[in-house]
Amino acid sequence: VQLQASGGGLVQAGGSLTLSCAASERAFSSYSMGWFRQAPKKEREFVALITWSNGITHYADSVKGRFTISRDVAKNTVYLHMNILKLDDTAVYYCAESLMVSTKTSAYRHWGQGTLVTVSS
Protein backbone atom coordinates (compact mmCIF):
# COMPACT_ATOMS: atom_id res chain seq x y z
CA VAL A 1 0.00 0.00 0.00
CA GLN A 2 1.33 3.39 -0.93
CA LEU A 3 0.02 6.46 0.83
CA GLN A 4 0.17 9.98 -0.52
CA ALA A 5 -0.46 12.80 1.93
CA SER A 6 -1.21 16.30 0.71
CA GLY A 7 -2.86 19.56 1.69
CA GLY A 8 -0.34 21.04 4.04
CA GLY A 9 0.61 24.70 3.96
CA LEU A 10 0.86 27.95 5.86
CA VAL A 11 -2.19 29.11 7.79
CA GLN A 12 -2.85 31.72 10.42
CA ALA A 13 -3.78 30.77 13.93
CA GLY A 14 -7.52 30.24 14.16
CA GLY A 15 -7.72 29.17 10.55
CA SER A 16 -8.57 25.88 8.91
CA LEU A 17 -6.89 23.38 6.67
CA THR A 18 -7.81 19.98 5.27
CA LEU A 19 -5.27 17.24 4.68
CA SER A 20 -5.82 14.31 2.35
CA CYS A 21 -4.29 10.86 2.29
CA ALA A 22 -4.83 8.81 -0.84
CA ALA A 23 -4.14 5.08 -0.69
CA SER A 24 -2.96 3.25 -3.78
CA GLU A 25 -5.49 0.53 -3.11
CA ARG A 26 -8.44 -0.05 -0.82
CA ALA A 27 -6.07 -2.11 1.24
CA PHE A 28 -8.65 -4.62 2.36
CA SER A 29 -5.88 -5.95 4.50
CA SER A 30 -5.81 -2.75 6.50
CA TYR A 31 -8.37 -2.04 9.17
CA SER A 32 -7.82 1.57 10.03
CA MET A 33 -6.06 4.73 8.96
CA GLY A 34 -4.37 7.16 11.26
CA TRP A 35 -2.93 10.64 11.23
CA PHE A 36 0.18 11.42 13.22
CA ARG A 37 2.32 14.52 13.49
CA GLN A 38 5.87 15.37 14.36
CA ALA A 39 7.00 18.80 15.43
CA PRO A 40 10.68 19.80 15.37
CA LYS A 41 12.69 18.06 18.08
CA LYS A 42 9.64 16.14 19.25
CA GLU A 43 8.52 12.57 18.88
CA ARG A 44 5.86 11.59 16.43
CA GLU A 45 2.48 11.68 18.11
CA PHE A 46 -0.96 10.31 17.41
CA VAL A 47 -3.60 12.74 16.14
CA ALA A 48 -6.63 10.77 14.93
CA LEU A 49 -7.73 7.47 13.43
CA ILE A 50 -10.69 6.04 11.56
CA THR A 51 -11.72 2.52 10.69
CA TRP A 52 -12.39 1.76 7.04
CA SER A 53 -15.40 -0.46 7.58
CA ASN A 54 -17.65 1.54 9.88
CA GLY A 55 -15.97 4.89 10.33
CA ILE A 56 -15.27 4.66 14.02
CA THR A 57 -13.01 7.52 15.06
CA HIS A 58 -10.67 8.35 17.89
CA TYR A 59 -8.79 11.57 18.61
CA ALA A 60 -5.93 12.81 20.70
CA ASP A 61 -7.13 15.06 23.51
CA SER A 62 -5.12 17.94 22.08
CA VAL A 63 -7.20 18.05 18.89
CA LYS A 64 -10.56 16.80 20.08
CA GLY A 65 -13.31 19.22 19.11
CA ARG A 66 -11.09 20.98 16.56
CA PHE A 67 -10.05 18.23 14.13
CA THR A 68 -12.30 15.79 12.29
CA ILE A 69 -11.13 12.68 10.47
CA SER A 70 -13.23 11.24 7.68
CA ARG A 71 -12.92 8.73 4.86
CA ASP A 72 -14.16 8.23 1.34
CA VAL A 73 -14.13 4.51 0.76
CA ALA A 74 -14.84 4.83 -2.97
CA LYS A 75 -11.78 7.06 -3.39
CA ASN A 76 -9.56 5.18 -0.93
CA THR A 77 -8.92 8.52 0.72
CA VAL A 78 -8.84 9.72 4.29
CA TYR A 79 -9.13 13.36 5.29
CA LEU A 80 -8.16 15.39 8.31
CA HIS A 81 -10.20 18.55 8.66
CA MET A 82 -8.39 20.92 10.99
CA ASN A 83 -10.14 23.91 12.50
CA ILE A 84 -9.19 26.56 15.04
CA LEU A 85 -5.54 25.84 14.36
CA LYS A 86 -3.03 26.77 17.02
CA LEU A 87 0.69 27.50 16.90
CA ASP A 88 1.27 24.15 18.61
CA ASP A 89 -0.32 22.37 15.65
CA THR A 90 2.71 23.21 13.53
CA ALA A 91 4.25 19.91 12.46
CA VAL A 92 4.76 17.47 9.65
CA TYR A 93 1.60 15.40 9.39
CA TYR A 94 1.75 11.76 8.36
CA CYS A 95 -0.94 9.31 7.43
CA ALA A 96 -0.52 5.61 8.02
CA GLU A 97 -2.45 2.37 7.80
CA SER A 98 -2.82 -0.40 10.32
CA LEU A 99 -4.31 -3.84 10.83
CA MET A 100 -5.74 -2.75 14.15
CA VAL A 101 -7.10 0.20 16.06
CA SER A 102 -4.18 1.79 17.86
CA THR A 103 -2.67 5.13 18.80
CA LYS A 104 0.85 3.70 18.75
CA THR A 105 3.17 4.33 15.82
CA SER A 106 4.45 0.77 16.05
CA ALA A 107 1.01 -0.56 15.06
CA TYR A 108 1.12 1.11 11.66
CA ARG A 109 2.73 -0.68 8.73
CA HIS A 110 2.79 1.81 5.90
CA TRP A 111 3.32 5.54 6.07
CA GLY A 112 2.83 8.45 3.74
CA GLN A 113 5.66 10.89 3.08
CA GLY A 114 4.31 13.64 5.31
CA THR A 115 2.94 17.08 4.62
CA LEU A 116 4.03 20.21 6.48
CA VAL A 117 1.51 22.34 8.32
CA THR A 118 2.76 25.68 9.60
CA VAL A 119 0.53 27.80 11.80
CA SER A 120 1.57 31.44 12.12
CA SER A 121 0.52 34.09 14.61
Side-chain angles (χ1 to χ4, degrees), residues 64-117:
K64 201 171 293 183
R66 300 188 298 120
F67 290 11
T68 302
I69 189 171
S70 65
R71 85 240 190 269
D72 186 329
V73 176
K75 294 183 178 180
N76 297 339
T77 301
V78 173
Y79 304 94
L80 186 67
H81 310 278
M82 306 184 293
N83 298 312
I84 317 174
L85 283 161
K86 304 176 180 179
L87 298 180
D88 287 347
D89 294 321
T90 294
V92 176
Y93 284 71
Y94 299 89
C95 58
E97 63 92 23
S98 176
L99 295 174
M100 62 189 73
V101 177
S102 176
T103 63
K104 297 181 178 181
T105 57
S106 58
Y108 289 78
R109 303 180 301 171
H110 300 103
W111 293 78
Q113 83 286 6
T115 184
L116 177 62
V117 173

Side-chain angles (χ1 to χ4, degrees), residues 33-36 46-50 58-60 63 67 69 80 108:
M33 295 288 292
W35 283 99
F36 290 77
F46 168 77
V47 175
L49 66 85
I50 189 167
H58 181 65
Y59 298 91
V63 306
F67 290 11
I69 189 171
L80 186 67
Y108 289 78

